[in-house]
Each structure stands twice: as structure tokens, then as C-alpha cells.
Amino acid sequence: MATYVAPGSPHDVADRSADPEPTWRTLGLGTMASLLVVSLRRRGSQSFVAQCQWPRFHPLNERMNAVRHHPLIMVESTRQLAVALQRHHLPGVRGPLEPVSVALGVHPWAQPTERGDATDVVVRVGVSDQAVHAGVLTAFRLTAEYQHRGRPFATCTVRCARPPDPGVVSRRQDVPRSALLHPPPAAVGAAAEPDVLLARAPQGRLLIVPRDPGHPVLLAGRPARLPAAAVLEAGRQAALLNCGMTSAAMAGLRADVREPVPASGALIDIAAEPGGCRFVVMADGRAAATGGVTFLTP
């Protein structure tokens, strides 16, 4: 991958005229505060370098003096990078391609801890596996390596493709709200009650029932189906709840969305496996999504 050129260098100044700055409007975000990607520069035919800025008081983060950013911030940053690439760098896109597969690996010992206002992060971006049909880009893969002060601390890969038809979203589980029991935030690695995505139903079934149906990060715009990042977070929360682990023990996440997952009411099954947990999201009796969580070895 091409060598990173520091902001402010002559090469960077030349690139600024060719690479438009991402804005919250061009990335389709609800507010300026949601913007995590502040620049994206081409460095080769399939490689780019980006700058991200992660606020300490991001909605997903705990309210602490020293914060280690929530892992979904990396996923959301990668999603925003995918949108920016489609708008400015990938030819033949007609309509947005969305993440349908996500994989995240972190090095907890290398993750930055923020005690001030925000963390500045450099991201090396690679694009591969572009699929074109009749001259139209129908899918691609994006790999983002996150670095802080020259040290890599996470890698996130997303496969983007045409989103499922919102008209065929499966039925939700017909369970009265009064019969549901939401776990406390700490039990699922969430910072606050609105971030909890799970609830226990009768007979101990575990359902995806977001406490905040319009969560500004996980469910922005109140979609009828769960985005891949929300499926990933539901799997992470289910794994922590099932295994009794803390967020700090997590080393990897993955999710593959095969069919539309309703925004509320899908059943999630979790099972332990060596080194972590795997999960299946069921909708209308079918496996709509699968994934897993990897924990650090003792």
C-alpha cells in the first residue's frame, strides 16, 4: 500500500484539490456531530489514506475521564469511508451499496485512550473484489487499518453490496413489550440503557429489541431493517451476556447478513465455541444473519 503523506506536505496540498473533503451531508449523516471521517486521499489505484477524528463523548462511549473508544466506532468509520469512496472514487455506482458483511479485529493493548476532546486516527484503506455487471458496480470489499501515532491497533473489513429489498423484511416476533426483560447495560458492554439491543422473552429466548428504536448511531433514521453494524453489535452484546465477559476481553467480531433482519423482534441464538462465541439471527424461522465474537486468550 502507498506510503502515507503527512497533512500539510506539498503532495497533500496537491491532493486536496482533487479529493473533496467528506461532509456530514455528502455522507448522508443526520448531524455534523456524527461525522467521523474528516479526509480521504487517493494513494494508488486501489489504495487510500484517511483521517478520522473520534470524540471522547461519542454516543457509544462511556462517560469517563479516560475512554477507550467503543469498537463500533471503527465499524461506523469504515462505513462512512465506504460511502465516501462511492461518492468520489469508485466509478459505475448507481444507488448506495451497503455493508452486508463486517469483520473487525482489535489489539486492545494498542488501542488509544482518550483523556481530552478527541482522538486523531490515520486509516490506510484498500479496495478489492469489485464486482461489475453491465458497467454498474454491484459489490466491493474495503479493508481499513486503523493507526494511532504510527501504531496499528485495529483492522476492519466490510463487503458492500446492494441492500436487501425493504419490502421483504421478515415479521417480528409477536411478544408484548411488558413480557420482555432488558439486561442492564454493563452486562452487555453498553455505556447506557439506550445502547442495549437485547431483551429476554418468556422461556428465556433472547430477542433483538432495541431500547432506542431511533438510536443515532445503530439505527439512524429508524430503518425497517437492522443495518449490518447493528447486527454485529447485537451479536457482541449477546456474546458478552452469555459468556459473562467484559468488552475489554474482545479481540474480534464478525457478521454476515444474508436476508433482511427486522428492526425489532428477531431471535438471536448464541453458543460458546473455543476462543469465543458464535451467533445466529433468526427471522421467520430462517437464519437471516450469522457471526461470531473472539475473546483474548488468557
Side-chain angles (χ1 to χ4, degrees), residues 59-286:
L60 289 174
N61 282 346
E62 296 183 13
R63 297 300 185 258
M64 302 174 62
N65 291 334
V67 170
R68 181 174 288 177
H69 295 284
H70 192 287
L72 261 289
I73 293 178
M74 290 168 252
V75 176
E76 172 60 13
S77 297
T78 307
R79 188 196 70 81
Q80 292 184 19
L81 286 167
V83 175
L85 283 170
Q86 292 179 70
R87 289 191 64 88
H88 302 301
H89 295 285
L90 297 182
V93 178
R94 294 181 186 173
L97 304 179
E98 298 181 5
V100 295
S101 176
V102 183
L104 174 67
V106 299
H107 307 298
W109 54 88
Q111 284 184 265
T113 298
E114 183 54 53
R115 293 178 172 84
D117 294 327
T119 304
D120 292 314
V121 176
V122 172
V123 193
R124 295 183 184 276
V125 180
V127 177
S128 61
D129 300 339
Q130 297 184 58
V132 179
H133 179 71
V136 177
L137 183 67
T138 59
F140 67 95
R141 190 177 307 276
L142 184 158
T143 300
E145 181 190 73
Y146 290 88
Q147 301 182 1
H148 180 63
R149 296 179 179 174
R151 187 178 185 184
F153 64 89
T155 301
C156 185
T157 299
V158 299
R159 181 179 178 273
C160 294
R162 193 71 59 199
D165 184 353
V168 297
V169 176
S170 303
R171 295 193 313 269
R172 65 171 62 191
Q173 296 284 333
D174 189 17
V175 179
R177 288 266 177 174
S178 59
L180 299 175
L181 179 63
H182 293 277
V188 295
E193 286 191 0
D195 302 336
V196 175
L197 297 182
L198 306 179
R200 286 284 185 193
Q203 290 80 50
R205 291 178 299 162
L206 192 60
L207 304 181
I208 302 176
V209 183
R211 297 217 68 167
D212 181 1
H215 193 283
V217 179
L218 302 171
L219 297 165
R222 302 177 76 94
R225 53 183 171 78
L226 285 182
V231 174
L232 189 75
E233 173 63 4
R236 186 188 76 96
Q237 292 187 12
L240 296 180
L241 183 64
N242 183 76
C243 300
M245 306 291 280
T246 66
S247 295
M250 193 206 75
L253 283 170
R254 68 183 189 281
D256 295 289
V257 180
R258 304 171 181 175
E259 297 184 16
V261 179
S264 180
L267 177 69
I268 183 165
D269 287 327
I270 190 83
E273 63 180 7
C277 295
R278 65 180 184 277
F279 64 86
V280 179
V281 178
M282 304 295 295
D284 267 354
R286 299 191 300 272

